[in-house]
Amino acid sequence: MDTGDIKKQIRISVILVSIVSIVLVLVGGVSYFSIKDTQEKEAQKYMKEIVSQYKNIITAQIDGDIQTLSALSNFIGGEETVDLEFALAHLEEESSHNDFMRMGLVSPDGTGYFIDTDGTKHYDIDVSDEEFIKKTLSGEWTVSESMKDKLSEDSIICYGVPVYAGEHVIGALTATRLESKFSDVINQQIFDGAAYVHIVDQEGNFIIRSKHAAIQKQMDNVFDDGETMEDVKKSVLADLKKGGDVFATFHHEGNAYWATFIPIGINDWQIFCVVPQTFLNHNLNSLFTVFAWVMGCLFVLFGVLFFYIYSLLKKEDKTLQTFAYKDILTGADNRNRFVADLSILLKERTDYAVVLMNVSGFKFVNEFFGFERGNLLLKHVSSVLRLNMKEGERYYRDNADHFGMLLFYHDKEELTGRIKKIYEAINQYTVSPNQEYRINCTFGIHILQEVKINKGNNFSPDTAINGALLALNSVNGSTANPIAFYDQSLHDKARKKVEIESQMQAALANKEFQMYLQPKYYLEDECIHSAEALVRWCSEDGTIHYPDEFIPIFEENGFITELDMYMLEEACRKVSGWIRQGYEAIPISVNQSRIFFYDDDYLDKFYGIVNQYHIDPSLIILEVTESVAMSNLTHVKGVVRKLHNMGFTISMDDFGSGYSSLNTLKELDIAELKLDKEFLSEQSTSPRGKMVIESIIHLAKALSITTVAEGIENEVQLEFLKSISCDIGQGFYFAKPMPVDEFEQIAYSPVAE
């Protein structure tokens, strides 16, 4: 080959190499900018999803605080002026149930009365110059900007809710939180600690600055330091004033950052988050490092790496989606996903029902069987719900032991049948092979019919879920009727419940719960045998509340244990007093809560109270309902045996109320059997009922168990019970429940001073 041919080949080779190089550069450039754009969009999406969670946490905190103040405002308002002592007493009580730094009441002239968490009181504080106070007194609920506390110099954020008398503002309720409470939220690490989260206003001024910051020195505004171009700054500020989400690029010391602003919805606050671009596009940089070293095979390799990067991005997106929309323990959707889907599904012309479910007593499963078994139970519940979902329906785990469902609705009978099927499948689960424990669930249902949805312009997922929640709360752990449907009357019940729960601790401290006694008589000679302690809530205004008004609420929130202990001590105090006065002590029976039987310290607490008053334990009759015994017979059997050995008299209450089992009489070491009053009422019209009662009494006598008949209302019932040798009777025929002093006049006449 001559020189000309060689040059020609070289020239062609150079041209080909140049063309290939240009093509590769063009392809690489196009691919680079395409991936960069995709990466930026994905980063924007990721950041928005993550930051939205912080927004939800902060808004949930603020909404909850405002609702607490609003409920308290409604309670102390209504009159033309606020009763200051009454209001401050409730503020002091409320402050013990929350983590506010301070709560207060401000009069229309701007004079404030405040109570700190530690009980410190501040009177006649002039706060009339505070902007949030002015707004509140004008009728708005407000959240202040971050400011210095006048009393402690701490950085704080305050809430204000107006107090109304009719349509007139007569004051303002305030609550104070440390700014650090919000700082704790935004100080949590995200993106492995590479991202920085702050709260700013629409001008870019810092409201709350995270301790994690790209620029450590003190700054007042996000634009104070850095290399942000003026046109970018103007564009960002303009977008912020429009109230939407903003995504932009910032630079500092040669490093590029992606930044997003999301409005919180309170004042003009924004969540501001910045992430180094190198953190989110490190895979992209690795790709082009490889590109530089392997130019010859870059085209093929580029394609492979491109799809590899794309798969990584999708995987990262899926991971973020899992954290944002999945419950990690059970694999079910979480509330975020459910609400997002619900917003779309409610627009369809389909009838739905939102169903909320609570696993009753779940916290006791964790406490007595361990968290591992509790987690297995939650997974079982999730599995049952998944298997019972039809295509197009949804279920999710809300928190702890709460689950929710969105089911197609045809009619109540069909829906109730599905719920019962789910309940039965859950109920079959065995928590522990060594100890029987029934899994009970309650359900609240809000029916979302097409006509109702279409007529309601403001109908939202929260409205649907809150309706089901009210229905769920109305069930109060009932196993007899665990399903409730939402209706308007539930609002009144919820309001009443809040009122009772806000007063119960103060009522106990003020001894507003009074012991009434109903005598029990020997049927043979109609002499007093003992008395049953019954509780009445006698308010300061003279109103008497009967147990059916408050006992179900106390059983639900656990306060029943405090009340039962209080009633036990009252009974012991009274028996001890009779002995000191020289009278023959009359035994008093007191009811026992189901919760006590799962408390390891239960026996010691009871025995300690009895010893404190130096009385024989046999003078206290502990009444255990049959339903409690049947729910966990093996465990209750052991506890009853120990109580009997301590000297207590054990009575089975409500026998015949629906759970009657001869096995119960055989297994439990009881001294007394009380026939349920509903069971007794049947004997007046049913010969078969008389035979059943007579058989039970004869069986009890054979087992050396004393029999007590409740609800005796007439002489016919009395004579029947005498004829079958029933031992003791109780009911309105003899006497109604009465104050202790009236009982003493009957039992010890005359009663010594």
Side-chain angles (χ1 to χ4, degrees):
M1 181 180 294
D2 59 14
T3 304
D5 290 335
I6 294 175
K7 290 183 178 180
K8 182 179 180 180
Q9 292 296 323
I10 293 175
R11 189 164 53 251
I12 293 174
S13 298
V14 170
I15 293 172
L16 289 174
V17 169
S18 300
I19 293 173
V20 170
S21 299
I22 292 171
V23 169
L24 289 175
V25 170
L26 290 174
V27 170
V30 171
S31 299
Y32 173 80
F33 288 106
S34 175
I35 295 175
K36 182 179 180 181
D37 182 66
T38 300
Q39 185 80 0
E40 184 169 338
K41 290 179 179 178
E42 289 295 325
Q44 183 176 359
K45 179 181 177 182
Y46 296 162
M47 293 177 68
K48 182 176 179 180
E49 290 175 349
I50 294 299
V51 175
S52 292
Q53 296 181 36
Y54 285 85
K55 170 190 171 181
N56 293 339
I57 294 172
I58 293 173
T59 55
Q61 175 70 65
I62 293 174
D63 289 345
D65 292 343
I66 292 297
Q67 289 177 13
T68 298
L69 285 181
S70 297
L72 189 57
S73 170
N74 292 334
F75 182 72
I76 67 175
E79 302 296 334
E80 292 185 2
T81 59
V82 175
D83 185 337
L84 182 59
E85 294 302 321
F86 174 82
L88 291 179
H90 282 279
L91 284 179
E92 185 170 10
E93 174 62 21
E94 182 61 27
S95 66
S96 66
H97 300 306
N98 56 61
D99 57 355
F100 293 135
M101 171 186 173
R102 181 180 302 119
M103 297 183 72
L105 175 66
V106 180
S107 61
D109 64 359
T111 301
Y113 306 86
F114 302 95
I115 300 175
D116 292 344
T117 302
D118 61 5
T120 304
K121 298 179 175 62
H122 310 276
Y123 291 93
D124 300 321
I125 306 299
D126 184 9
V127 292
S128 59
D129 60 335
E130 301 287 358
E131 286 300 321
F132 86 96
I133 293 295
K134 295 177 182 178
K135 290 182 179 179
T136 305
L137 291 175
S138 70
E140 302 179 35
W141 67 262
T142 57
V143 180
S144 75
E145 302 292 344
S146 177
M147 58 186 184
K148 290 292 184 182
D149 184 19
K150 290 183 175 182
L151 302 176
S152 67
E153 293 302 310
D154 291 323
S155 294
I156 59 170
I157 291 175
C158 298
Y159 306 107
V161 171
V163 180
Y164 285 94
E167 298 181 355
H168 302 289
V169 178
I170 58 173
L173 278 180
T174 69
T176 303
R177 278 198 179 282
L178 289 170
E179 181 185 293
S180 59
K181 290 291 184 179
F182 295 93
S183 299
D184 291 342
V185 176
I186 63 175
N187 282 338
Q188 298 179 34
Q189 292 189 354
I190 59 175
F191 291 119
D192 295 336
Y196 316 105
V197 179
H198 314 277
I199 298 179
V200 301
D201 62 17
Q202 289 181 343
E203 299 295 332
N205 298 314
F206 286 102
I207 303 297
I208 302 175
R209 191 171 184 226
S210 169
K211 66 181 181 181
H212 303 295
I215 304 174
Q216 292 298 323
K217 72 178 185 179
Q218 183 61 37
M219 295 171 56
D220 296 323
N221 190 284
V222 298
F223 300 104
D224 282 352
D225 199 346
E227 302 155 11
T228 306
M229 298 177 65
E230 189 64 23
D231 58 338
V232 174
K233 175 180 177 180
K234 291 181 179 179
S235 175
V236 170
L237 290 175
D239 289 340
L240 287 176
K241 291 185 181 300
K242 294 177 182 178
D245 300 340
V246 179
F247 186 79
T249 301
F250 285 72
H251 293 83
H252 176 68
E253 296 182 353
N255 296 318
Y257 296 83
W258 276 320
T260 187
F261 298 78
I262 294 182
I264 295 178
I266 303 297
N267 299 331
D268 62 343
W269 293 1
Q270 314 277 326
I271 296 284
F272 169 58
C273 178
V274 289
V275 182
Q277 289 187 7
T278 54
F279 178 82
L280 292 180
N281 66 2
H282 60 278
N283 293 319
L284 186 64
N285 294 334
S286 299
L287 171 65
F288 282 94
T289 300
V290 175
F291 175 83
W293 287 98
V294 288
M295 179 66 76
C297 59
L298 183 60
F299 188 72
V300 175
L301 184 59
F302 183 86
V304 173
L305 290 178
F306 177 79
F307 286 110
Y308 171 68
I309 295 299
Y310 183 75
S311 66
L312 284 181
L313 294 176
K314 293 298 290 183
K315 184 177 180 181
E316 289 178 8
D317 178 64
K318 185 176 181 180
T319 301
L320 289 174
Q321 292 284 342
T322 298
F323 280 108
Y325 295 117
K326 286 290 184 182
D327 175 60
I328 304 302
L329 174 64
T330 64
D333 289 344
N334 62 17
R335 183 186 175 97
N336 291 337
R337 169 57 67 190
F338 184 78
V339 170
D341 289 349
L342 191 58
S343 299
I344 299 172
L345 293 172
L346 288 181
K347 297 177 182 178
E348 299 178 0
R349 300 181 65 83
T350 306
D351 292 345
Y352 289 103
V354 171
V355 182
L356 294 186
M357 183 190 80
N358 174 49
V359 181
S360 301
F362 177 73
K363 64 180 180 180
F364 298 108
V365 174
N366 279 337
E367 182 175 348
F368 297 112
F369 299 106
F371 286 97
E372 182 178 353
R373 295 195 180 277
N375 290 340
L376 291 174
L377 170 59
L378 293 176
K379 291 179 180 180
H380 168 72
V381 173
S382 178
S383 176
V384 170
L385 297 183
R386 182 176 66 254
L387 293 174
N388 282 274
M389 291 299 106
K390 299 178 181 178
E391 185 175 355
E393 296 181 333
R394 301 286 191 276
Y395 81 98
Y396 77 103
R397 181 189 174 204
D398 194 341
N399 58 68
D401 53 356
H402 283 69
F403 291 80
M405 293 169 274
L406 181 70
L407 306 179
F408 293 125
Y409 177 75
H410 302 292
D411 57 63
K412 280 191 176 182
E413 183 177 354
E414 184 267 347
L415 179 62
T416 302
R418 290 189 64 187
I419 297 300
K420 288 182 178 178
K421 180 181 177 182
I422 290 172
Y423 186 8
E424 290 171 359
I426 294 173
N427 191 256
Q428 293 174 1
Y429 185 77
T430 301
V431 176
S432 172
N434 302 320
Q435 193 170 19
E436 180 184 353
Y437 187 89
R438 295 175 62 86
I439 303 301
N440 295 315
C441 300
T442 53
F443 301 84
I445 304 173
H446 191 184
I447 297 173
L448 314 176
Q449 291 181 294
E450 178 186 330
V451 174
K452 180 178 180 181
I453 295 173
N454 291 339
K455 286 184 178 180
N457 295 328
N458 296 323
F459 204 84
S460 66
D462 286 340
T463 303
I465 294 173
N466 288 339
L469 182 59
L470 281 176
L472 177 64
N473 292 338
S474 72
V475 179
N476 290 328
S478 171
T479 56
N481 187 19
I483 302 174
F485 287 83
Y486 168 82
D487 59 48
Q488 191 63 31
S489 65
L490 291 179
H491 282 289
D492 297 332
K493 294 180 181 178
R495 190 180 302 111
K496 180 66 175 177
K497 178 183 177 183
V498 170
E499 181 180 344
I500 288 175
E501 291 184 328
S502 67
Q503 298 174 7
M504 61 187 187
Q505 291 288 354
L508 186 64
N510 296 333
K511 296 187 177 297
E512 294 180 15
F513 295 105
Q514 296 185 11
M515 182 176 68
Y516 274 47
L517 296 175
Q518 185 176 26
K520 296 188 289 187
Y521 293 86
Y522 289 107
L523 295 185
E524 183 176 356
D525 57 12
E526 298 189 14
C527 293
I528 291 180
H529 166 269
S530 57
E532 180 178 2
L534 301 168
V535 64
R536 299 291 186 268
W537 184 348
C538 302
S539 301
E540 293 181 349
D541 61 4
T543 303
I544 298 179
H545 302 281
Y546 291 90
D548 58 350
E549 298 179 49
F550 54 86
I551 291 297
I553 296 175
F554 293 170
E555 289 178 339
E556 179 183 349
N557 61 27
F559 185 71
I560 189 67
T561 58
E562 296 186 49
L563 181 59
D564 280 356
M565 282 295 185
Y566 172 83
M567 290 296 293
L568 172 66
E569 187 162 0
E570 288 294 293
C572 292
R573 180 183 293 111
K574 182 49 61 181
V575 171
S576 177
W578 290 336
I579 294 173
R580 289 198 308 272
Q581 294 178 66
Y583 294 108
E584 181 180 355
I586 296 175
I588 297 179
S589 60
V590 292
N591 293 309
Q592 299 304 287
S593 167
R594 173 195 191 101
I595 300 175
F596 280 133
F597 286 90
Y598 298 97
D599 184 351
D600 293 336
D601 298 327
Y602 163 72
L603 300 179
D604 293 337
K605 292 177 182 177
F606 267 56
Y607 200 66
I609 291 175
V610 173
N611 279 342
Q612 178 184 346
Y613 290 94
H614 307 291
I615 63 175
D616 190 329
S618 64
L619 294 174
I620 300 299
I621 303 172
L622 301 179
E623 294 193 357
V624 181
T625 63
E626 186 187 16
S627 61
V628 170
M630 291 296 292
S631 66
N632 194 340
L633 184 58
T634 302
H635 183 70
V636 173
K637 176 182 176 181
V639 176
V640 168
R641 185 189 308 112
K642 293 177 182 177
L643 289 170
H644 182 81
N645 292 337
M646 288 179 177
F648 288 101
T649 300
I650 311 300
S651 173
M652 179 180 290
D653 194 14
D654 295 339
F655 189 83
S657 61
Y659 296 88
S660 299
S661 170
L662 297 180
N663 187 54
T664 309
L665 298 180
K666 177 176 73 71
E667 294 292 336
L668 291 184
D669 189 8
I670 61 173
E672 182 179 279
L673 181 69
K674 295 185 72 176
L675 296 178
D676 183 74
K677 60 183 178 181
E678 295 299 328
F679 200 1
L680 177 62
S681 66
E682 186 179 338
Q683 64 85 17
S684 62
T685 57
S686 170
R688 294 172 65 90
K690 292 181 179 180
M691 294 177 63
V692 170
I693 294 176
E694 184 176 5
S695 298
I696 292 174
I697 288 177
H698 288 170
L699 176 61
K701 284 187 174 297
L703 296 173
S704 300
I705 298 175
T706 301
T707 53
V708 181
E710 289 187 282
I712 301 176
E713 297 182 352
N714 53 59
E715 190 170 355
V716 173
Q717 293 174 334
L718 175 62
E719 293 303 322
F720 166 70
L721 291 167
K722 284 183 177 181
S723 70
I724 60 175
S725 301
C726 181
D727 298 311
I728 300 167
Q730 175 183 359
F732 286 1
Y733 177 81
F734 295 110
K736 296 181 179 180
M738 62 190 71
V740 174
D741 56 351
E742 292 183 19
F743 175 82
E744 290 175 335
Q745 291 177 11
I746 295 175
Y748 307 114
S749 181
V751 177
E753 293 296 324

